[in-house]
Amino acid sequence: MNITIRGNRDRDRSGDRSRSRSRRAVAAVAFSAALALTATACGDDGSGAGGDEGNEGSGKGEITFWDNNGGVRTEVWKEIIKDFEAKNPDIHVKYVPIPAESVQSKYDTAIQGGGLPDVGGVGAAMLAGISAQNALEPLDDRLSGSSLDGKLNPGMILSVRAAGGGNRLFTVPTSASNGVLYYRTDLFKEAGLDAPTNWSKFYEAAEKLTAKGDNKFGYTIRGGEGSIAQALDAAYGQSGIGSFWVGDKTTVNDPKNVAALKKYVALYKKNTPAADVNNDFKKMNAQWDTGQIGMLSHNLGSYTDHVKALGEGKFRGLPNPTTDEGTRVQVSNPVDGLGLFKSSKKKAAAWKFIEFAASHESNSKWNKSAGAIPANTAASKDAWVNEAEPTKLAAAALNDGSLKVVQLPYYLPDWNTISKADNEPNYQKVLLGKMSAKDFLDTLAEQLNKAQAEWKDQQK
């Protein structure tokens, strides 16, 4: 996991609150109306809208699967589907590839207007928004009685539970694409630099590898769409703070995080390209692959693309740097998974597909293609995991207890609005020197604390 809506944060806060309540009320009415209009419009093709109950079906027939990273992972999904249909000749899987950048809006539209799939890829960041609209089937009982029981990474199970609100399991986790610091081994060797295993070495390399006159930079920073998680990763990674909440108050604006973010954003234009202020992950990765930049923070998902562009001998991918004391902190564990939609009229067949896709062989095949960490514990022990160094190191950090994971509050219904529409523009102001790191994090903290309080009230 994304649509950025530019907002004006200079408006009166009391006006913000009243408008927010108004928007929610309008959205609720629109949602209810949409359900009323579509309740009788869904045929027997398994499609439906959020809240529709569906049924188990015969365990046969055609099911629809939405791939939430269509195009990038289409080929490997086609292989898995072919294998599944060979073993389940009474079930046909209709594959629908949806680009990652548009999948959230696609789900939202289908939840309100009908046409949801039987099975869909649902990342942790969008899980709360979808489950809150009563669109996903809880999977706890199905998992406990299946061949997957006890065979999925406990940490990933915990992550998707937390993302869905903490109580029920709404997706079967399939992979984790942990944060990685990629660095150019050839450039580091030429400059006589050590690998950027901690933040001090990271900043030293960012400075030493920059030669603006030759259009060479030590680092590329993400300032465009999707920037907030990376900014928080850098803040918590340097501060060593291991929890997002202390009681009901967020730690995002802890003085240690403020100091860390201030140091990090000071890299912009000094040790990074000026274009970074608008760069999303695609532009950032493409820019790094030109070979003019020393380091890049992304995740395991881009590893295979870097191999194609640079060759394996010119770069490495390490887990996020540690503090000088050796503490490694990462915000969230970006876990992807498969959800069963409540409106499906063929839930039995759809569950068979999920169970197959998360099995040892299929899960290993998919994650090898993506360079990600398998959720299936048997697949995570396959030989290829050790052959792909970034995956090997990330899996080791995840499994050996040396990594502290600060869970982002994906469960908050307002999380996407807060992290994208409200604060991506603010973060760009920080990069451009028009807003301080402290004001940015204080604003973010105020919004998060309010959203947390509202969410807790709703749970009573």
Side-chain angles (χ1 to χ4, degrees):
M1 338 131 341
N2 296 331
I3 301 174
T4 301
I5 305 171
R6 302 298 175 191
N8 181 357
R9 299 307 302 161
D10 297 325
R11 68 185 70 164
D12 177 76
R13 285 197 179 107
S14 64
D16 267 350
R17 286 192 289 270
S18 63
R19 277 186 285 272
S20 177
R21 286 193 293 268
S22 176
R23 284 196 300 269
R24 286 175 185 157
V26 172
V29 171
F31 177 54
S32 299
L35 288 182
L37 289 170
T38 59
T40 58
C42 301
D44 296 326
D45 62 352
S47 66
D52 289 358
E53 284 301 325
N55 54 63
E56 289 297 304
S58 65
K60 302 177 182 180
E62 181 178 89
I63 60 172
T64 298
F65 164 54
W66 284 7
D67 174 10
N68 60 328
N69 200 7
V72 179
R73 302 292 166 226
T74 292
E75 292 308 312
V76 68
W77 271 122
K78 286 183 176 180
E79 286 185 35
I80 292 170
I81 290 169
K82 182 179 179 181
D83 294 342
F84 173 76
E85 291 178 342
K87 293 186 178 182
N88 297 272
D90 292 331
I91 303 174
H92 173 69
V93 180
K94 180 182 177 182
Y95 172 77
V96 181
I98 301 174
E101 57 268 23
S102 59
V103 70
Q104 178 76 65
S105 60
K106 184 80 171 175
Y107 277 133
D108 288 343
T109 299
I111 287 170
Q112 294 188 34
L116 282 167
D118 301 283
V119 179
V122 180
M126 69 177 75
L127 180 55
I130 296 175
S131 63
Q133 296 180 77
N134 201 29
L136 289 167
E137 180 91 353
L139 300 176
D140 306 80
D141 291 342
R142 292 180 193 269
L143 181 62
S144 65
S146 78
S147 62
L148 296 175
D149 190 24
K151 296 181 180 179
L152 298 176
N153 184 291
M156 296 190 202
I157 291 282
L158 180 64
S159 289
V160 295
R161 275 194 195 282
N167 296 319
R168 292 183 291 181
L169 187 73
F170 287 108
T171 61
V172 169
T174 53
S175 66
S177 190
N178 283 29
V180 176
L181 178 62
Y182 293 104
Y183 74 100
R184 289 288 305 273
T185 51
D186 53 346
L187 299 182
F188 270 67
K189 184 177 179 180
E190 288 173 12
L193 290 164
D194 293 333
T197 53
N198 63 38
W199 286 98
S200 292
K201 292 177 179 178
F202 165 83
Y203 282 110
E204 179 188 3
E207 178 68 29
K208 197 166 183 179
L209 293 175
T210 297
K212 289 185 180 179
D214 296 327
N215 200 34
K216 294 180 179 179
F217 298 92
Y219 185 58
T220 175
I221 197 169
R222 186 168 181 169
E225 186 177 349
S227 59
I228 302 303
Q230 187 179 102
L232 294 180
D233 218 10
Y236 281 93
Q238 293 175 82
S239 71
I241 294 170
S243 175
F244 197 81
W245 302 100
V246 172
D248 290 331
K249 301 297 182 183
T250 181
T251 58
V252 293
N253 62 335
D254 183 284
K256 291 181 180 179
N257 278 336
V258 172
L261 186 62
K262 182 178 179 181
K263 186 174 183 179
Y264 180 70
V265 297
L267 293 170
Y268 174 64
K269 284 182 74 173
K270 178 174 176 280
N271 304 118
T272 80
D276 280 355
V277 70
N278 292 311
N279 281 353
D280 59 11
F281 82 94
K282 290 182 180 178
K283 292 176 182 175
M284 188 176 61
N285 282 327
Q287 188 170 252
W288 191 70
D289 286 343
T290 65
Q292 296 294 100
I293 298 172
M295 296 179 291
L296 160 75
S297 296
H298 192 229
N299 59 47
L300 292 169
S302 60
Y303 172 70
T304 54
D305 293 330
H306 301 323
V307 171
K308 292 175 184 176
L310 300 171
E312 292 193 58
K314 290 187 178 180
F315 77 97
R316 289 183 70 196
L318 302 176
N320 284 357
T322 69
T323 63
D324 289 348
E325 294 74 31
T327 301
R328 193 189 312 279
V329 177
Q330 172 185 303
V331 297
S332 287
N333 193 17
V335 178
D336 209 0
L338 295 173
L340 174 61
F341 283 86
K342 186 172 287 188
S343 60
S344 171
K345 295 180 176 63
K346 298 173 182 176
K347 291 178 185 175
W351 174 253
K352 285 182 184 178
F353 177 66
I354 292 175
E355 195 173 8
F356 183 87
S359 66
H360 178 178
E361 183 179 351
S362 298
N363 193 237
S364 184
K365 181 179 290 187
W366 190 95
N367 281 282
K368 183 177 181 180
S369 169
I373 303 171
N376 189 292
T377 52
S380 69
K381 297 174 184 176
D382 286 350
W384 70 264
V385 175
N386 288 324
E387 293 167 2
E389 186 188 37
T391 306
K392 174 186 175 182
L393 295 175
L398 184 64
N399 295 324
D400 66 10
S402 66
L403 174 67
K404 291 183 181 179
V405 178
V406 176
Q407 297 285 357
L408 293 178
Y410 293 133
Y411 59 87
L412 293 177
D414 290 339
W415 168 251
N416 276 339
T417 299
I418 291 170
S419 65
K420 293 183 179 301
D422 291 349
N423 286 290
E424 283 183 357
N426 279 351
Y427 184 59
Q428 290 180 323
K429 291 179 183 178
V430 177
L431 291 174
L432 295 170
K434 297 179 180 179
M435 187 177 196
S436 71
K438 184 179 188 304
D439 286 348
F440 167 71
L441 291 177
D442 282 346
T443 300
L444 180 59
E446 181 181 359
Q447 294 168 339
L448 288 167
N449 290 336
K450 178 186 173 185
Q452 174 79 346
E454 289 178 351
W455 180 79
K456 285 212 162 185
D457 284 343
Q458 293 167 4
Q459 305 308 303
K460 293 178 182 178

